[in-house]
Amino acid sequence: MKVLVIGGGAREHALCRSLSLDPDVTDLYCAPGNAGIAEVAELHPVDALDGAAVARLAAELGAGLVVVGPEAPLVAGVADAVRAAGIPCFGPSGAAARLEGSKAFAKDVMAGAGVPTARSYVCTTPAEIDSALDAFGAPYVVKDDGLAAGKGVVVTEDVAVARAHALACDRVVIEEFLDGPEVSLFAITDGTTVLPLQPAQDFKRALDGDEGPNTGGMGAYSPLPWADPKLVDEVMESVLQPTVDELRRRGTPFSGLLYAGLAITSRGVRVIEFNARFGDPETQVVLARLRTPLAGVLLGSANGTLDQLPPLAWRDEAAVTVVIASHNYPGTPRTGDPIEGLDEVAAQDAPHAYVLHAGTRRDGDTVVSAGGRVLSVTATADDLAGARERAYAAAARIRLDGSQLRTDIAKKAAEDAAEDAAAAGA
């Protein structure tokens, strides 16, 4: 099978890495890709938002499957254009991708499907904003209705900050704050059958201790030793399958990757948000643990044949990803800085730890930074403590002037798991 992946971030590098290890994949292409993806896939230039251009490139390459990574091309209908050209495509239609493209649409779908979520108001005027903020009180949760690259949400105790963010949005969803830990659960679906993946947890705040501004994600880990073993089954029954069924009932069937961002509250599981694609950085740890070859699963989603596949197989190992971000992220990042140490990680830490590129490009023989989140250092081990140790040891070899990373990714989960193991041994 010839596969074309659309996108150029760490999520796409993780997808390309897994696809490159799949014996069924004979040729792997990525457009536009990045400096790291170039090591496992042949890169091609393309405007990822231009459906006709993507379909034309796929046809020229003879691709038997197109995988659309980022949300913006999906909302723009790129998957529709590829399918219209007769090429199987992993990713929802533009209409179904509104589940991520519009928070208000997602709330409407959840209401129709009976999916548990936070109470909310959709606001378009200052008066509506003030009324909603007053109704819920602090902490305030304010979400831009449209796509915002993972940075459209403000959670704050300060009503002035909440109001300012709301007024800066054309349309905004204001909702009640959900207590409890957050979980990301992905599911691959063909519009009828739903295959859940393993849950992960990511870290949105820029600084240790969940301080600082929201980001696109500074790290992740999987599995979640503290989570109820029945969590995946519960979410399948109460969230994922009802949502897929509701979208099909509405005439906008959803095929591709359905991402549920969940809060495990004192009143049970609640949906914080839906995404219409693999999440970054959770994809890095989830795919590190997936034993089943990836291409056949993605093709089953594209062709509507997921019900014919055997159950997914998973490695027992734990995985941790640590994001190395550029100076000033999540503000306007500094780019063009040389990245050193990549060869050292490959020589000394592989195969248990490796680097997935996000915002990078080649400048002659040098790899330089080209975005806010620059690299995702991913590692696996028998347990979270070992995976953390390997990930941070590899990250320490990377030299990027002014770069930043969190030092506490998966720290509490690893410590708690070690305590539980010690108690069980005693």
Side-chain angles (χ1 to χ4, degrees):
M1 191 193 318
K2 296 182 178 182
V3 182
L4 169 63
V5 176
I6 301 301
R11 162 188 46 227
E12 287 76 33
H13 194 175
L15 287 165
C16 284
R17 179 182 183 275
S18 290
L19 290 166
S20 73
L21 299 173
D22 188 330
D24 288 337
V25 176
T26 56
D27 297 274
L28 182 59
Y29 311 102
C30 187
N34 62 38
I37 295 174
E39 297 176 8
V40 295
E42 182 180 297
L43 302 192
H44 291 266
V46 79
D47 178 354
L49 296 175
D50 186 338
V54 171
R56 190 162 53 247
L57 175 62
E60 290 171 359
L61 295 172
L65 175 66
V66 175
V67 179
V68 182
E71 60 272 25
L74 291 168
V75 172
V78 167
D80 302 89
V82 173
R83 278 190 279 267
I87 301 168
C89 185
F90 179 80
S93 66
R98 286 186 65 209
L99 199 64
E100 177 171 3
S102 168
K103 302 287 192 300
F105 176 73
K107 288 288 188 182
D108 188 59
V109 170
M110 283 187 268
V115 168
T117 187
R119 293 179 298 120
S120 63
Y121 295 102
V122 180
C123 307
T124 56
T125 68
E128 290 174 346
I129 288 168
D130 290 340
S131 177
L133 292 172
D134 185 56
F136 289 129
Y140 304 97
V141 181
V142 183
K143 300 180 176 181
D144 190 331
D145 180 55
L147 295 178
K151 290 175 282 191
V153 179
V154 165
V155 181
T156 178
E157 297 279 348
D158 190 330
V159 69
V161 172
R163 189 172 191 272
H165 181 65
L167 290 172
C169 304
D170 290 334
R171 195 176 191 218
V172 69
V173 174
I174 296 174
E175 63 184 38
E176 68 175 328
F177 177 77
L178 296 174
D179 64 327
E182 296 184 10
V183 172
S184 299
L185 185 60
F186 302 161
I188 292 173
T189 178
D190 56 13
T192 302
T193 301
V194 181
L195 288 184
L197 305 186
Q198 289 291 303
Q201 186 174 60
D202 77 333
F203 295 75
K204 287 292 188 191
R205 298 286 184 170
L207 307 176
D208 283 8
D210 290 328
E211 299 289 334
N214 254 357
T215 72
M218 294 298 291
Y221 70 95
S222 179
L224 312 182
W226 50 267
D228 188 326
K230 299 176 183 175
L231 176 64
V232 173
D233 291 339
E234 179 186 342
V235 175
M236 265 291 291
E237 184 178 336
S238 65
V239 175
L240 298 172
Q241 192 70 57
T243 300
V244 169
D245 293 345
E246 173 68 11
L247 285 164
R248 188 176 66 251
R249 185 188 68 78
R250 291 176 177 227
T252 52
F254 188 106
S255 72
L257 195 290
L258 178 59
Y259 165 129
L262 309 165
I264 313 301
T265 77
S266 54
R267 294 171 292 148
V269 175
R270 298 287 185 272
V271 174
I272 301 170
E273 65 175 353
F274 282 126
N275 290 336
R277 39 73 196 182
F278 280 101
D280 182 345
E282 300 97 318
T283 300
Q284 289 86 302
V285 292
V286 172
L287 291 186
R289 298 186 59 225
L290 180 64
R291 188 183 296 278
T292 300
L294 184 61
V297 183
L298 303 186
L299 186 63
S301 166
N303 288 340
T305 56
L306 283 182
D307 62 335
Q308 300 173 24
L309 297 183
L312 297 177
W314 296 92
R315 296 183 176 89
D316 293 331
E317 293 177 311
V320 171
T321 284
V322 177
V323 170
I324 298 177
S326 58
H327 177 74
N328 199 43
Y329 179 78
T332 303
R334 191 175 79 200
T335 60
D337 289 316
I339 302 168
E340 299 177 340
L342 296 171
D343 291 343
E344 295 171 34
V345 175
Q348 300 184 49
D349 301 285
H352 301 298
Y354 48 89
V355 179
L356 297 169
H357 291 229
T360 69
R361 62 178 175 83
R362 279 211 168 267
D363 184 1
D365 293 333
T366 305
V367 177
V368 300
S369 61
R373 291 186 293 175
V374 182
L375 304 168
S376 285
V377 182
T378 302
T380 57
D382 290 339
D383 55 25
L384 283 176
R388 282 192 85 246
E389 185 177 342
R390 285 173 172 172
Y392 280 106
R397 303 189 203 282
I398 304 295
R399 297 177 295 282
L400 171 61
D401 187 47
S403 64
Q404 55 178 314
L405 55 75
R406 280 185 59 159
T407 65
D408 62 348
I409 303 302
K411 184 172 187 287
K412 185 177 186 305
E415 291 173 348
D416 290 349
E419 288 179 11
D420 291 344

